[in-house]
């Protein structure tokens, strides 16, 4: 009876995860979908706490229950308050942080289960796999988190890091296989494995440049899913298994979709030399000729006022300056004047795919006005003014015409086809990828320097006066 | 080798589930528009927090005298809850902003 109830709860949880993820596929149903997944999760957790001990005939002392509830309470309070307070611009690092927590949980489970399962090679292989993957995911996510919030700015590369990492991965696999094969009972081995996996996680993410970080987070996300699935195998737990595998496969697909959007292969991200080669290439080979033309807020306002069609290209700089709301005001003002205004959204605008959509949704921008790159790229030619706000690499023509550029081949927004281009930037500093942008030296381009929020506010004021 | 065959035999149902789930995951995600990629990543992130069940199971089975074990389990449950609660709440917050505009 109780076994059946628990099985049903786990079944409901699995269905909740599948239906929830499916419903995330449309803006209308997404919120409910997330809610269904959360209900599924709650059922699975409650069932495990209250029904499982009866089935397994465990006599769990009250204080252990107390510990479990206290832990859940502490975790909920911290998780809830972080999630409620965080700014939308910080979303990628938050996902990375939570992902690391999941990885750490998987790793700790492995550490504790080791002693109970010596001699069971099938169970031990699940434990070792979950421990290694969970630890890599934890350490890697923490490094990705530190990189995204600016604590760790530059890619750090040890000499011959590719060979070093590959060797370390090999050692990890060999040690893992040895522990299972030789039925090792000495806990020193499992702690060594844990430590090596952590080091590998750090070394794996350290050399990867900031621009590639979303791909790494997505990859580590599917790693944690995999680690959870190994836990599912270990305990014969269907909720863990389905949830873990779902995230593992979905995360892998998402990773591939992201690398495609950035025109990078996964191996290029992991083993490549993005940050390394680019700083050299950016300064030496692409010494850009020409002068820049500066424009004030009134020039920009006049240019916009007499346009028929305007496309706005928002980038991360917009979000940093918290200028989404002013930008929305500007867009509404122009629309009222009968000007056709759209937003061009590059797949990796912001810090991860879809991030810019979230940021603009926060400012109440209608999502019908947001147009994807493929759909808008041939519209630039008949556009009067393109307003680039805090975007850089995603509008860099070097992706088309400079084979020596590290972003060569990456799909970009073809803003240089428009009749006029206004670029709002704080300074001439290169973007996240650390490379120069010849767009700024284009005779059609006017540079509107200044913080996005104050610059746009001035443009709005000027426009109102016209 | 026999061990490997035994493993397959004992877990054949789970192996089926793994393979089917891989395809379910691919199918579901393949059709999600780029607009929703960020909430999707964050929602999926919350779902793998299901690993918390493992941490709870460890606690339930733990010898009550094993203080170190209980302490590690305690931390594991906290971290797992962080992943679950934080993940779902922040996803909800993001999706709340995608409400259709008047």
């Amino acid at each position: 009876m109780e076994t059946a109830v628990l099985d049903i709860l786990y079944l409901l949880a699995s269905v909740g995860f599948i239906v929830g993820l499916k419903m995330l596929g449309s803006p209308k149903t997404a919120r409910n979908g997330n809610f269904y997944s959360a209900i599924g999760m709650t059922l699975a957790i409650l069932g495990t706490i209250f029904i499982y001990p009866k089935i397994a005939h465990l006599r769990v002392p009250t204080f252990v229950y107390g510990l479990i509830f206290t832990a859940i309470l502490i975790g909920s309070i911290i998780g809830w308050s972080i999630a409620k307070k965080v700014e939308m611009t910080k979303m990628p690092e938050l996902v990375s942080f939570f992902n690391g927590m999941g990885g750490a949980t998987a790793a700790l489970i492995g550490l504790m289960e080791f002693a109970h399962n010596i001699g069971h090679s099938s169970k031990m292989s699940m434990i070792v796999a979950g421990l290694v993957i969970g630890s890599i995911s934890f350490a890697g996510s923490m490094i990705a988190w530190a990189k995204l919030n600016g604590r760790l700015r530059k890619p750090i590369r040890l000499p011959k890091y590719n060979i070093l990492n590959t060797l370390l991965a090999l050692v990890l696999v060999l040690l893992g296989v040895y522990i299972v094969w030789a039925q090792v009972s000495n806990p020193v081995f499992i702690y060594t494995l844990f430590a090596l996996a952590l080091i590998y996680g750090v070394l794996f993410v350290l050399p990867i440049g900031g621009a590639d970080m979303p791909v790494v987070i997505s990859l580590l996300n599917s790693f944690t899913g995999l680690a959870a699935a190994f836990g599912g195998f270990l305990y014969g737990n269907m909720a863990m298994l389905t949830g873990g595998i779902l995230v593992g496969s979905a995360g892998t697909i998402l990773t591939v979709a992201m690398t495609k959007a950035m025109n990078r292969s996964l191996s290029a991200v992991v083993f490549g030399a993005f940050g390394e080669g680019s700083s050299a290439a950016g300064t030496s080979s692409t010494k850009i000729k020409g002068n820049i033309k500066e424009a004030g807020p009134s020039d920009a306002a006049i240019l916009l006022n007499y346009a028929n069609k305007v496309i706005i290209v928002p980038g991360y700089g917009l979000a940093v300056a918290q200028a989404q709301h002013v930008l929305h005001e500007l867009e509404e003002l122009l629309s009222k004047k009968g000007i056709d205004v759209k937003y061009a959204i590059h797949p990796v605008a912001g810090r991860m795919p879809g991030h810019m959509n979230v940021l603009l949704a926060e400012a109440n921008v209608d999502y019908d006005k947001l147009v994807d790159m493929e759909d808008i790229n041939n519209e630039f030619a008949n556009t009067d003014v393109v307003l680039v706000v805090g975007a850089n690499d995603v509008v860099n023509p070097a992706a088309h015409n400079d084979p020596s550029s590290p972003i060569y081949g990456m799909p970009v927004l073809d803003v240089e086809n428009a009749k006029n281009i206004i670029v709002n930037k704080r300074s001439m500093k290169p973007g996240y990828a650390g490379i120069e942008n010849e767009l700024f030296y284009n005779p059609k381009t006017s540079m509107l320097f200044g913080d996005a929020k104050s610059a746009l506010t001035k443009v709005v004021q000027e426009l109102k006066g016209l | 080798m026999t061990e490997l065959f035994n493993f397959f035999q004992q877990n054949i149902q789970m192996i089926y589930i793994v393979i089917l789930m891989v395809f379910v995951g691919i199918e579901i995600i393949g059709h999600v528009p780029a607009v929703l990629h960020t909430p999707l990543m964050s929602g999926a992130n919350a779902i793998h927090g299901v690993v918390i069940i493992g941490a709870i199971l460890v606690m339930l089975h733990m010898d009550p005298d094993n203080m170190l074990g209980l302490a590690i389990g305690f931390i594991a449950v906290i971290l797992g809850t962080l992943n679950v609660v934080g993940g779902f709440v922040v996803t909800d917050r993001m999706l709340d902003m995608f409400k259709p505009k008047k």
Side-chain angles (χ1 to χ4, degrees):
Chain A
M1 168 59 188
E2 274 130 353
T3 317
V5 173
L6 189 60
D7 281 343
I8 291 170
L9 287 180
Y10 285 152
L11 180 66
L12 287 175
S14 306
V15 174
F17 296 157
I18 297 171
V19 173
L21 267 185
K22 175 79 196 159
M23 288 173 73
L24 274 174
S26 148
K28 287 195 190 75
T29 55
R31 200 172 177 203
N32 284 335
N34 184 52
F35 189 61
Y36 292 154
S37 305
I39 291 181
M41 184 72 74
T42 314
L43 292 178
I45 292 173
L46 291 180
T48 309
I49 297 176
F50 292 108
I51 304 176
Y52 177 82
K54 287 188 188 146
I55 298 169
H57 303 292
L58 294 174
R59 261 200 241 112
V60 183
T62 324
F63 87 96
V64 173
Y65 270 118
L67 281 179
I68 293 176
F69 286 123
T70 314
I72 291 180
L73 190 70
I74 296 174
S76 300
I77 293 172
I78 302 176
W80 188 285
S81 50
I82 296 177
K84 280 285 177 193
K85 261 188 245 148
V86 74
E87 289 160 30
M88 283 297 144
T89 42
K90 303 252 160 71
M91 203 46 63
E93 54 196 82
L94 188 73
V95 172
S96 187
F97 176 76
F98 287 146
N99 185 45
M101 296 302 105
T105 310
L108 293 179
I109 292 172
L111 280 186
M112 287 181 292
E113 286 292 351
F114 172 77
H116 307 304
N117 291 287
I118 294 159
H120 297 274
S121 26
S122 61
K123 283 191 171 182
M124 193 54 87
S125 51
M126 298 300 146
I127 291 171
V128 165
L131 175 80
V132 169
I133 297 173
S135 311
I136 293 174
S137 184
F138 166 66
S141 296
M142 287 301 113
I143 297 295
W145 171 75
K147 280 188 174 234
L148 282 167
N149 69 14
R151 270 166 233 259
L152 211 60
R153 204 51 225 246
K154 285 213 174 104
I156 299 167
R157 286 153 201 270
L158 299 176
K160 306 246 185 286
Y161 67 96
N162 272 338
I163 298 169
L164 192 76
N165 282 5
T166 313
L167 275 180
L168 190 55
L170 206 65
V171 171
L172 270 177
V173 171
L174 287 179
L175 183 58
V177 169
Y178 177 74
I179 289 175
V180 175
W181 198 262
Q183 309 196 342
V184 171
S185 59
N186 188 346
V188 170
F189 279 87
I190 201 83
Y191 286 117
T192 312
L193 189 70
F194 177 52
L196 286 178
L198 288 178
I199 295 171
Y200 181 73
V202 171
L203 294 183
F204 172 67
V205 181
L206 263 187
I208 299 175
D212 284 334
M213 220 29 74
V215 178
V216 174
I217 297 174
S218 182
L219 188 67
L220 293 174
N221 209 9
S222 52
F223 274 20
T224 311
L226 211 57
F230 279 117
F233 250 108
L234 174 64
Y235 296 113
N237 187 303
M238 289 303 171
M240 285 175 81
L241 189 72
T242 48
I245 293 288
L246 255 188
V247 176
S249 77
T252 311
I253 293 300
L254 196 58
T255 312
V256 172
M258 261 184 234
T259 48
K260 269 198 194 130
M262 302 165 82
N263 196 35
R264 315 254 295 134
S265 72
L266 194 54
S267 64
V269 170
V270 177
F271 301 112
F274 200 76
E276 191 179 57
S278 65
S279 52
T283 46
S284 64
S285 74
T286 32
K287 250 286 169 254
I288 293 168
K289 56 282 149 198
N291 297 314
I292 57 158
K293 188 170 73 189
E294 212 179 321
S298 56
D299 306 323
I302 290 167
L303 214 49
L304 288 167
N305 196 41
Y306 296 105
N308 290 316
K309 184 169 177 174
V310 172
I311 295 179
I312 299 171
V313 179
Y316 189 68
L318 167 86
V320 171
Q322 291 292 318
Q324 303 97 297
H325 296 272
V326 196
L327 185 66
H328 180 48
E329 200 187 336
L330 178 71
E331 169 234 312
E332 284 192 315
L333 202 61
L334 293 174
S335 297
K336 259 184 218 141
K337 289 176 187 273
I339 301 166
D340 178 20
V341 189
K342 283 178 188 158
Y343 293 86
I345 309 292
H346 189 273
V348 292
R351 282 291 178 268
M352 60 197 224
H355 191 201
M356 192 46 68
N357 305 75
V358 174
L359 296 171
L360 291 174
E362 191 189 14
N364 282 321
V365 174
D366 199 342
Y367 55 69
D368 292 335
K369 287 200 188 280
L370 309 183
V371 190
D372 285 342
M373 180 176 64
E374 301 91 63
D375 299 324
I376 207 158
N377 251 351
N378 44 24
E379 284 191 36
F380 282 111
N382 54 31
T383 299
D384 301 305
V385 181
V386 171
L387 176 62
V388 180
V389 186
N392 189 347
D393 300 325
V394 299
V395 294
N396 194 337
H400 291 310
N401 52 28
D402 179 8
S404 72
S405 169
I407 63 164
Y408 182 68
M410 178 175 112
V412 289
L413 292 160
D414 304 325
V415 296
E416 73 273 16
N417 295 341
K419 295 184 189 103
N420 292 287
I421 304 145
I422 304 172
V423 178
N424 169 237
K425 264 176 77 62
R426 269 205 306 219
S427 65
M428 286 302 289
K429 245 173 60 186
Y432 213 53
I435 44 184
E436 286 272 4
N437 192 340
E438 69 176 79
L439 178 76
F440 306 152
Y441 302 89
N442 190 314
K444 290 192 283 186
T445 305
S446 320
M447 299 298 294
L448 174 64
F449 287 113
D451 168 77
K453 194 171 185 175
S454 62
L456 289 179
T457 311
K458 280 179 203 148
V459 173
V460 167
Q461 278 163 1
E462 294 283 346
L463 262 179
K464 279 180 180 160
L466 282 171
Chain B
M1 207 55 194
T2 28
E3 181 125 24
L4 195 69
F5 282 125
N6 283 341
F7 174 79
F8 265 95
Q9 231 172 352
Q10 283 160 12
N11 296 289
I12 192 69
Q13 281 186 322
M14 296 190 105
I15 293 165
Y16 267 100
I17 290 177
V18 166
I19 292 168
L20 292 175
M21 272 302 146
V22 167
F23 284 98
V24 170
I26 293 172
E27 272 310 302
I28 289 177
I29 301 314
H31 301 154
V32 174
V35 190
L36 288 168
H37 273 174
T38 295
L40 176 76
M41 202 154 138
S42 150
N45 182 41
I47 289 175
H48 69 47
V50 73
V51 70
I52 189 190
I53 290 181
I56 295 173
L57 289 175
V58 169
M59 286 288 272
L60 293 172
H61 279 280
M62 186 69 70
D63 172 9
D65 297 326
N66 184 351
M67 282 304 156
L68 178 68
L70 283 176
I72 299 178
F74 184 72
I75 295 170
V77 176
I78 292 182
L79 300 184
T81 316
L82 255 174
N83 186 176
V84 171
V85 175
F88 280 124
V89 171
V90 86
T91 309
D92 183 67
R93 229 186 101 194
M94 262 191 270
L95 292 171
D96 185 33
M97 299 183 305
F98 279 92
K99 268 189 301 213
K101 310 286 159 0
K102 71 277 157 189

